[in-house]
Amino acid sequence: MRVRLTPDLVANVLGVLGLVCVVVAIGGLTGTWWWSLGAAGLVLVGLSYSVHTHAQVPTAVVAHGGPVRAVKDAA
C-alpha cells in the first residue's frame, strides 16, 4: 500500500507532531505526568472536533450517473 504525500497530509503530520511536542514540554516543565495526560486529552478532543467539523460530505452516484453531493440537515 502506497501513501501519497499530499500537502494536506504533510500539514496534518506536522500539526500532530507539534501538538505532541507541546504535550511533552508541559510534562517536562511541570515534572508530573498528570499535566501531560490532561494536555493530551485536550489535544485529542480538539483534534476530534476539528476532524468532525471539517469532514467532507461523501459524494453519491445517482441512477443517471451524475455525482450528487449529499446535503446535511439544516436542523
Side-chain angles (χ1 to χ4, degrees):
M1 181 174 155
R2 297 183 73 178
V3 177
R4 290 185 341 161
L5 289 178
T6 62
D8 289 338
L9 177 62
V10 173
N12 288 340
V13 169
L14 289 175
V16 168
L17 287 176
L19 293 173
V20 167
C21 290
V22 168
V23 168
V24 171
I26 288 172
L29 291 172
T30 61
T32 178
W33 62 273
W34 286 105
W35 286 104
S36 292
L37 185 63
L42 290 174
V43 165
L44 291 175
V45 168
L47 283 174
S48 68
Y49 175 77
S50 177
V51 168
H52 178 72
T53 57
H54 293 91
Q56 292 182 354
V57 179
T59 303
V61 178
V62 293
H64 62 77
V68 174
R69 200 163 266 285
V71 179
K72 290 184 177 182
D73 292 334

